[in-house]
Amino acid sequence: MDKIIIEGGRPLQGSITVSGSKNAALPILVSSLLTDGMSEYENVPQLRDIQSTIDLLMHLGARVSRRAGRVCIDAGGLDSHEAPYDLVRKMRASILVLGPLLARLKRARVSLPGGCAIGARPINLHLKGMERLGATIELKHGYVEARTKQLRGAEIYFDVATVGGTENLMMAACLAEGQTILRNAAREPEITALAEILNAMGADVQGAGSSVITINGVETLKPAGATIIPDRIEAGTFMVAAALAGGDIRVENCEPEHLGASINKLRLTGAEVNVGSQSIQVCSQGRLNGVDIKTQPFPGFPTDMQAQFMVLMTIAKGQSLISETIFENRFIHVSELKRMGADITINGNAAMVRGVTKLSGAPVMATDLRASASLVLAGLVAEGTTEISRIYHLDRGYEALEEKFFKLGAAIKRVKE
Ligand code: EPU
């Protein structure tokens, strides 16, 4: 297993190019199951979660070729309706094949994803929605077994705005008979990106990006191509790095409209943030101010940026209250940050962070992607050496993270453990 070693304290300077978005690419690759021709995608990031998705699509009978950021998928030969435990346990987003399989093959057998380091993460809203569309669902031997004679449009109200649930139902509804209305739908940019590709495939999806999405079912979809949108969480992670380590970073190939909440909070800390049309420059000198943060569905402050902002707060002036409202256990990074000298108290879903003047390097590890990213950020600013183990979590969601930081002037390297 690899680990990352960082000598902290170097200011960061220069520019980085943001990769394609993991969370946009995953449902888009899965949407290729809705057609029987060749779909082509560009700017697909090279990540473990993408490879897990490709493995699953191939298991289902799709032919997939991949060259750098280009992925071609032909699901013409789709001949299995089963997503086995071994593939689903590697990546929870595998549940997204449920909707397309039901729509295309009228049946699906998908392993239940099980627990997750950041929370229970149930899929009840995906299943209830499929039932509303006319599927019969049974849970047997750890699997979701779903069948339908024909999916039919329905009105579906989500108790909680769910990103994956909205994506799954949107894909299923495209091939359902009649109209589906999704209420309290998630509004994340990844939903809009999926709706755009579905419409390019011949679907009729209206309202994506708002909380009411209307889908008029069509009989068939044709393959289409898409360029994956930039990863807003990767962009945000580098923006925080600039504020934290001091320096001047230009984050290129990003979509500032997707980053409003992070830009706003960074400005409140006192960092200078200059927004271009497809780039964001962040400069900072000296100690920043603590700010309070509450995670919310988009366009609120993203839970996927909470751990990174918390690192910034550990060395900011004053106290900051960080409330996590999306996942019940997303403070995995706190105990590791405390080992690096941070002063943090957790009370339920809130963390009180009292700024200290410095962090000190230590051996650390984390069991979640964004928590691992926060430890890299902490290592960049800590005094001395930080060794981060279990970095396969980082490889699930950040393309060449250490290379990008090295280019910006960080003393960071990956070594075999
Ligand atoms: N929820 C339910 N029932 C459901 C589905 C969700 O109660 O059937 C709850 C969840 O437990 C959670 C809330 O609804 O409390 C929101 O969960 P959501 O379904 O929106 O999350 P997700 O689709 O599983 C995606 C991202 C996550 C990101 C969340 C929130 C992908 C592949 N994953 O997860 O990304 O944190 O939305 O924005 O898109 C990450 O990239 O590190 C990551 C975890």
Side-chain angles (χ1 to χ4, degrees):
M1 245 187 277
D2 295 356
K3 63 182 173 184
I4 283 181
I5 300 180
I6 306 171
E7 289 296 328
R10 303 257 183 112
L12 303 177
Q13 200 95 36
S15 66
I16 67 114
T17 303
V18 174
S19 299
S21 157
K22 164 179 86 77
N23 290 347
L26 298 178
I28 287 177
L29 296 184
V30 168
S31 73
S32 65
L33 293 177
L34 291 164
T35 78
D36 65 0
M38 177 80 84
S39 309
E40 289 185 21
Y41 309 105
E42 305 280 352
N43 200 33
V44 179
Q46 299 192 45
L47 301 171
R48 273 191 39 199
D49 276 8
I50 297 293
Q51 191 54 48
S52 302
T53 306
I54 289 174
D55 292 345
L56 176 56
L57 296 176
M58 288 171 71
H59 171 88
L60 295 171
R63 285 191 301 133
V64 184
S65 67
R66 180 181 190 183
R67 210 161 148 216
R70 179 165 214 214
V71 175
C72 299
I73 305 174
D74 183 346
L78 186 64
D79 59 2
S80 165
H81 64 278
E82 177 164 327
Y85 176 63
D86 261 2
L87 293 175
V88 175
R89 75 186 165 86
K90 286 190 189 150
M91 194 193 52
R92 299 183 51 84
S94 305
I95 189 65
L96 292 174
V97 301
L98 180 65
L101 288 179
L102 257 179
R104 184 125 173 252
L105 301 179
K106 314 276 187 251
R107 61 197 292 217
R109 187 167 187 268
V110 181
S111 171
L112 284 160
C116 169
I118 61 177
R121 301 185 76 181
I123 54 159
N124 58 320
L125 302 176
H126 300 234
L127 303 185
K128 275 189 189 158
M130 296 301 166
E131 281 178 337
R132 292 277 302 148
L133 292 184
T136 309
I137 307 268
E138 284 182 292
L139 300 183
K140 274 192 194 162
H141 311 298
Y143 277 76
V144 177
E145 298 198 358
R147 278 175 181 278
T148 183
K149 284 207 176 71
Q150 169 63 45
L151 294 178
R152 285 183 212 291
E155 191 160 334
I156 294 166
Y157 181 88
F158 291 109
D159 288 342
V160 178
T162 154
V163 175
T166 304
E167 291 164 347
N168 223 341
L169 269 301
M170 226 162 71
M171 289 192 279
C174 283
L175 291 180
E177 221 173 72
Q179 189 175 73
T180 299
I181 302 178
L182 304 179
R183 295 196 187 276
N184 196 25
R187 293 181 286 164
E188 271 65 6
E190 294 74 26
I191 305 278
T192 314
L194 176 62
E196 275 171 17
I197 177 86
L198 291 172
N199 284 338
M201 290 160 78
D204 180 0
V205 182
Q206 310 293 333
S210 78
S211 58
V212 182
I213 302 178
T214 304
I215 303 127
N216 293 305
V218 296
E219 263 174 35
T220 53
L221 294 171
K222 57 181 192 309
T227 298
I228 305 300
I229 59 170
D231 195 309
R232 63 193 168 102
I233 306 303
E234 187 197 353
T237 303
F238 279 96
M239 286 159 58
V240 171
L244 186 69
D248 183 343
I249 299 183
R250 198 177 154 86
V251 179
E252 311 260 15
N253 182 39
C254 63
E255 186 46 77
E257 276 192 13
H258 297 169
L259 285 149
S262 297
I263 291 170
N264 176 47
K265 286 293 173 189
L266 270 183
R267 284 187 171 143
L268 289 174
T269 66
E272 188 185 325
V273 184
N274 299 309
V275 176
S277 67
Q278 296 279 291
S279 67
I280 300 174
Q281 184 192 23
V282 179
C283 319
S284 91
Q285 278 165 354
R287 210 169 161 205
L288 299 175
N289 303 312
V291 292
D292 293 342
I293 280 163
K294 186 175 185 180
T295 63
Q296 297 278 311
F298 189 84
F301 188 90
T303 172
D304 291 343
M305 283 302 299
Q306 179 256 108
Q308 300 88 315
F309 261 81
M310 187 183 289
V311 179
L312 188 55
M313 298 304 106
T314 62
I315 56 160
K317 283 186 242 169
Q319 297 192 348
S320 321
L321 185 66
I322 300 189
S323 313
E324 173 57 60
T325 74
I326 308 293
F327 294 114
E328 63 274 23
N329 193 28
R330 212 172 195 183
F331 285 140
I332 303 157
H333 40 289
V334 168
S335 49
E336 297 300 273
L337 292 176
K338 282 167 86 165
R339 293 182 52 250
M340 296 178 74
D343 182 353
I344 307 169
T345 313
I346 297 181
N347 187 2
N349 75 339
M352 176 59 77
V353 185
R354 291 169 212 88
V356 294
T357 48
K358 58 173 193 259
L359 297 179
S360 69
V364 287
M365 65 167 129
T367 48
D368 153 56
L369 167 59
R370 308 303 170 187
S372 303
S374 79
L375 298 180
V376 172
L377 295 182
L380 291 173
V381 75
E383 222 174 53
T385 310
T386 297
E387 278 187 25
I388 305 164
S389 314
R390 290 204 190 162
I391 59 163
Y392 53 86
H393 290 288
L394 277 176
D395 294 336
R396 288 187 45 208
Y398 286 93
E399 190 175 61
L401 188 71
E402 75 280 6
E403 284 170 30
K404 290 182 180 179
F405 275 123
F406 182 76
K407 209 182 130 210
L408 293 171
I412 182 169
K413 63 182 178 192
R414 178 187 284 249
V415 295
K416 297 256 172 250
E417 220 163 2

mmCIF file of all heavy atoms in Angstrom, residues 361-388:
data_model
loop_
_atom_site.group_PDB
_atom_site.id
_atom_site.type_symbol
_atom_site.label_atom_id
_atom_site.label_comp_id
_atom_site.label_asym_id
_atom_site.label_seq_id
_atom_site.Cartn_x
_atom_site.Cartn_y
_atom_site.Cartn_z
ATOM 1 N N GLY A 361 3.296 17.971 12.409
ATOM 2 C CA GLY A 361 3.212 16.771 11.570
ATOM 3 C C GLY A 361 3.161 15.506 12.402
ATOM 4 O O GLY A 361 3.729 15.437 13.502
ATOM 5 N N ALA A 362 2.470 14.481 11.891
ATOM 6 C CA ALA A 362 2.337 13.214 12.615
ATOM 7 C C ALA A 362 1.964 12.121 11.619
ATOM 8 O O ALA A 362 1.490 12.423 10.529
ATOM 9 C CB ALA A 362 1.250 13.341 13.674
ATOM 10 N N PRO A 363 2.138 10.850 12.005
ATOM 11 C CA PRO A 363 1.590 9.782 11.155
ATOM 12 C C PRO A 363 0.073 9.733 11.341
ATOM 13 O O PRO A 363 -0.403 9.731 12.480
ATOM 14 C CB PRO A 363 2.231 8.501 11.713
ATOM 15 C CG PRO A 363 3.085 8.914 12.858
ATOM 16 C CD PRO A 363 2.852 10.344 13.177
ATOM 17 N N VAL A 364 -0.680 9.751 10.264
ATOM 18 C CA VAL A 364 -2.155 9.781 10.349
ATOM 19 C C VAL A 364 -2.757 8.888 9.263
ATOM 20 O O VAL A 364 -2.083 8.498 8.316
ATOM 21 C CB VAL A 364 -2.716 11.212 10.161
ATOM 22 C CG1 VAL A 364 -2.470 12.081 11.362
ATOM 23 C CG2 VAL A 364 -2.154 11.871 8.897
ATOM 24 N N MET A 365 -4.036 8.591 9.424
ATOM 25 C CA MET A 365 -4.757 7.890 8.357
ATOM 26 C C MET A 365 -6.245 8.170 8.490
ATOM 27 O O MET A 365 -6.715 8.604 9.545
ATOM 28 C CB MET A 365 -4.504 6.398 8.410
ATOM 29 C CG MET A 365 -5.028 5.718 9.640
ATOM 30 S SD MET A 365 -4.987 3.973 9.331
ATOM 31 C CE MET A 365 -4.144 3.389 10.770
ATOM 32 N N ALA A 366 -6.981 7.916 7.415
ATOM 33 C CA ALA A 366 -8.426 8.148 7.482
ATOM 34 C C ALA A 366 -9.148 7.110 6.657
ATOM 35 O O ALA A 366 -8.554 6.453 5.807
ATOM 36 C CB ALA A 366 -8.748 9.538 6.981
ATOM 37 N N THR A 367 -10.434 6.951 6.934
ATOM 38 C CA THR A 367 -11.204 5.898 6.283
ATOM 39 C C THR A 367 -12.256 6.471 5.342
ATOM 40 O O THR A 367 -13.228 5.815 5.047
ATOM 41 C CB THR A 367 -11.905 5.052 7.357
ATOM 42 O OG1 THR A 367 -12.538 5.964 8.261
ATOM 43 C CG2 THR A 367 -10.945 4.173 8.110
ATOM 44 N N ASP A 368 -12.049 7.684 4.914
ATOM 45 C CA ASP A 368 -13.000 8.299 3.980
ATOM 46 C C ASP A 368 -12.220 9.249 3.074
ATOM 47 O O ASP A 368 -11.192 9.809 3.465
ATOM 48 C CB ASP A 368 -14.080 9.027 4.821
ATOM 49 C CG ASP A 368 -14.726 10.196 4.089
ATOM 50 O OD1 ASP A 368 -15.247 9.957 3.007
ATOM 51 O OD2 ASP A 368 -14.710 11.322 4.606
ATOM 52 N N LEU A 369 -12.741 9.394 1.860
ATOM 53 C CA LEU A 369 -12.057 10.194 0.840
ATOM 54 C C LEU A 369 -11.775 11.636 1.274
ATOM 55 O O LEU A 369 -10.640 12.111 1.223
ATOM 56 C CB LEU A 369 -12.953 10.168 -0.406
ATOM 57 C CG LEU A 369 -12.691 11.131 -1.532
ATOM 58 C CD1 LEU A 369 -11.288 10.946 -2.073
ATOM 59 C CD2 LEU A 369 -13.721 10.909 -2.640
ATOM 60 N N ARG A 370 -12.820 12.349 1.689
ATOM 61 C CA ARG A 370 -12.625 13.779 1.986
ATOM 62 C C ARG A 370 -11.847 13.965 3.286
ATOM 63 O O ARG A 370 -11.097 14.939 3.441
ATOM 64 C CB ARG A 370 -13.965 14.510 2.041
ATOM 65 C CG ARG A 370 -14.840 14.294 0.828
ATOM 66 C CD ARG A 370 -14.184 14.691 -0.486
ATOM 67 N NE ARG A 370 -14.981 14.253 -1.638
ATOM 68 C CZ ARG A 370 -14.588 14.338 -2.899
ATOM 69 N NH1 ARG A 370 -13.400 14.824 -3.210
ATOM 70 N NH2 ARG A 370 -15.369 13.910 -3.877
ATOM 71 N N ALA A 371 -12.008 13.027 4.234
ATOM 72 C CA ALA A 371 -11.212 13.083 5.459
ATOM 73 C C ALA A 371 -9.731 12.934 5.105
ATOM 74 O O ALA A 371 -8.870 13.643 5.632
ATOM 75 C CB ALA A 371 -11.655 11.976 6.412
ATOM 76 N N SER A 372 -9.428 12.037 4.175
ATOM 77 C CA SER A 372 -8.033 11.839 3.757
ATOM 78 C C SER A 372 -7.492 13.108 3.106
ATOM 79 O O SER A 372 -6.343 13.504 3.340
ATOM 80 C CB SER A 372 -7.925 10.679 2.765
ATOM 81 O OG SER A 372 -8.446 9.511 3.325
ATOM 82 N N ALA A 373 -8.332 13.760 2.287
ATOM 83 C CA ALA A 373 -7.898 15.009 1.643
ATOM 84 C C ALA A 373 -7.587 16.063 2.695
ATOM 85 O O ALA A 373 -6.625 16.835 2.568
ATOM 86 C CB ALA A 373 -8.979 15.509 0.696
ATOM 87 N N SER A 374 -8.382 16.077 3.761
ATOM 88 C CA SER A 374 -8.152 17.089 4.802
ATOM 89 C C SER A 374 -6.812 16.833 5.500
ATOM 90 O O SER A 374 -6.134 17.777 5.918
ATOM 91 C CB SER A 374 -9.302 17.109 5.817
ATOM 92 O OG SER A 374 -9.189 16.053 6.742
ATOM 93 N N LEU A 375 -6.419 15.570 5.601
ATOM 94 C CA LEU A 375 -5.131 15.278 6.249
ATOM 95 C C LEU A 375 -3.968 15.720 5.365
ATOM 96 O O LEU A 375 -2.930 16.168 5.871
ATOM 97 C CB LEU A 375 -5.035 13.784 6.580
ATOM 98 C CG LEU A 375 -6.091 13.274 7.567
ATOM 99 C CD1 LEU A 375 -5.919 11.783 7.822
ATOM 100 C CD2 LEU A 375 -6.044 14.051 8.887
ATOM 101 N N VAL A 376 -4.150 15.634 4.050
ATOM 102 C CA VAL A 376 -3.107 16.162 3.147
ATOM 103 C C VAL A 376 -2.980 17.669 3.369
ATOM 104 O O VAL A 376 -1.869 18.204 3.513
ATOM 105 C CB VAL A 376 -3.450 15.860 1.665
ATOM 106 C CG1 VAL A 376 -2.480 16.579 0.731
ATOM 107 C CG2 VAL A 376 -3.431 14.364 1.405
ATOM 108 N N LEU A 377 -4.109 18.357 3.441
ATOM 109 C CA LEU A 377 -4.074 19.811 3.664
ATOM 110 C C LEU A 377 -3.392 20.131 4.993
ATOM 111 O O LEU A 377 -2.558 21.041 5.073
ATOM 112 C CB LEU A 377 -5.493 20.390 3.663
ATOM 113 C CG LEU A 377 -6.270 20.312 2.349
ATOM 114 C CD1 LEU A 377 -7.631 20.971 2.498
ATOM 115 C CD2 LEU A 377 -5.496 20.984 1.216
ATOM 116 N N ALA A 378 -3.738 19.357 6.018
ATOM 117 C CA ALA A 378 -3.125 19.605 7.334
ATOM 118 C C ALA A 378 -1.620 19.397 7.253
ATOM 119 O O ALA A 378 -0.838 20.185 7.794
ATOM 120 C CB ALA A 378 -3.753 18.676 8.376
ATOM 121 N N GLY A 379 -1.208 18.358 6.532
ATOM 122 C CA GLY A 379 0.229 18.066 6.386
ATOM 123 C C GLY A 379 0.963 19.196 5.679
ATOM 124 O O GLY A 379 2.115 19.494 5.974
ATOM 125 N N LEU A 380 0.289 19.857 4.736
ATOM 126 C CA LEU A 380 0.935 20.938 3.965
ATOM 127 C C LEU A 380 1.288 22.133 4.839
ATOM 128 O O LEU A 380 2.211 22.881 4.550
ATOM 129 C CB LEU A 380 0.007 21.411 2.838
ATOM 130 C CG LEU A 380 -0.237 20.432 1.693
ATOM 131 C CD1 LEU A 380 -1.295 20.969 0.748
ATOM 132 C CD2 LEU A 380 1.073 20.169 0.929
ATOM 133 N N VAL A 381 0.518 22.305 5.918
ATOM 134 C CA VAL A 381 0.726 23.501 6.730
ATOM 135 C C VAL A 381 1.386 23.171 8.077
ATOM 136 O O VAL A 381 1.862 24.056 8.782
ATOM 137 C CB VAL A 381 -0.632 24.227 6.919
ATOM 138 C CG1 VAL A 381 -1.515 23.518 7.903
ATOM 139 C CG2 VAL A 381 -0.455 25.676 7.261
ATOM 140 N N ALA A 382 1.440 21.866 8.411
ATOM 141 C CA ALA A 382 1.980 21.479 9.725
ATOM 142 C C ALA A 382 3.497 21.621 9.758
ATOM 143 O O ALA A 382 4.168 21.550 8.727
ATOM 144 C CB ALA A 382 1.588 20.037 10.015
ATOM 145 N N GLU A 383 3.996 21.795 10.969
ATOM 146 C CA GLU A 383 5.449 21.855 11.159
ATOM 147 C C GLU A 383 5.988 20.430 11.137
ATOM 148 O O GLU A 383 5.450 19.564 11.842
ATOM 149 C CB GLU A 383 5.700 22.456 12.544
ATOM 150 C CG GLU A 383 6.807 23.463 12.591
ATOM 151 C CD GLU A 383 6.857 24.089 13.987
ATOM 152 O OE1 GLU A 383 6.933 23.334 14.984
ATOM 153 O OE2 GLU A 383 6.799 25.318 14.047
ATOM 154 N N GLY A 384 7.010 20.160 10.338
ATOM 155 C CA GLY A 384 7.606 18.828 10.320
ATOM 156 C C GLY A 384 6.933 17.892 9.338
ATOM 157 O O GLY A 384 6.273 18.319 8.386
ATOM 158 N N THR A 385 7.097 16.582 9.614
ATOM 159 C CA THR A 385 6.694 15.563 8.638
ATOM 160 C C THR A 385 5.342 14.947 8.979
ATOM 161 O O THR A 385 5.096 14.570 10.123
ATOM 162 C CB THR A 385 7.753 14.425 8.626
ATOM 163 O OG1 THR A 385 9.036 15.019 8.487
ATOM 164 C CG2 THR A 385 7.515 13.446 7.497
ATOM 165 N N THR A 386 4.506 14.817 7.964
ATOM 166 C CA THR A 386 3.229 14.106 8.119
ATOM 167 C C THR A 386 3.247 12.918 7.172
ATOM 168 O O THR A 386 3.601 13.061 5.996
ATOM 169 C CB THR A 386 2.045 15.033 7.776
ATOM 170 O OG1 THR A 386 2.049 16.113 8.718
ATOM 171 C CG2 THR A 386 0.708 14.305 7.862
ATOM 172 N N GLU A 387 2.881 11.748 7.711
ATOM 173 C CA GLU A 387 2.819 10.537 6.869
ATOM 174 C C GLU A 387 1.370 10.083 6.837
ATOM 175 O O GLU A 387 0.796 9.782 7.886
ATOM 176 C CB GLU A 387 3.633 9.417 7.505
ATOM 177 C CG GLU A 387 5.103 9.499 7.216
ATOM 178 C CD GLU A 387 5.817 8.252 7.734
ATOM 179 O OE1 GLU A 387 5.175 7.190 7.864
ATOM 180 O OE2 GLU A 387 7.013 8.389 8.030
ATOM 181 N N ILE A 388 0.797 10.023 5.660
ATOM 182 C CA ILE A 388 -0.619 9.641 5.548
ATOM 183 C C ILE A 388 -0.721 8.241 4.951
ATOM 184 O O ILE A 388 -0.287 8.003 3.819
ATOM 185 C CB ILE A 388 -1.389 10.655 4.682
ATOM 186 C CG1 ILE A 388 -1.184 12.061 5.251
ATOM 187 C CG2 ILE A 388 -2.884 10.320 4.633
ATOM 188 C CD1 ILE A 388 -1.556 13.172 4.320
#
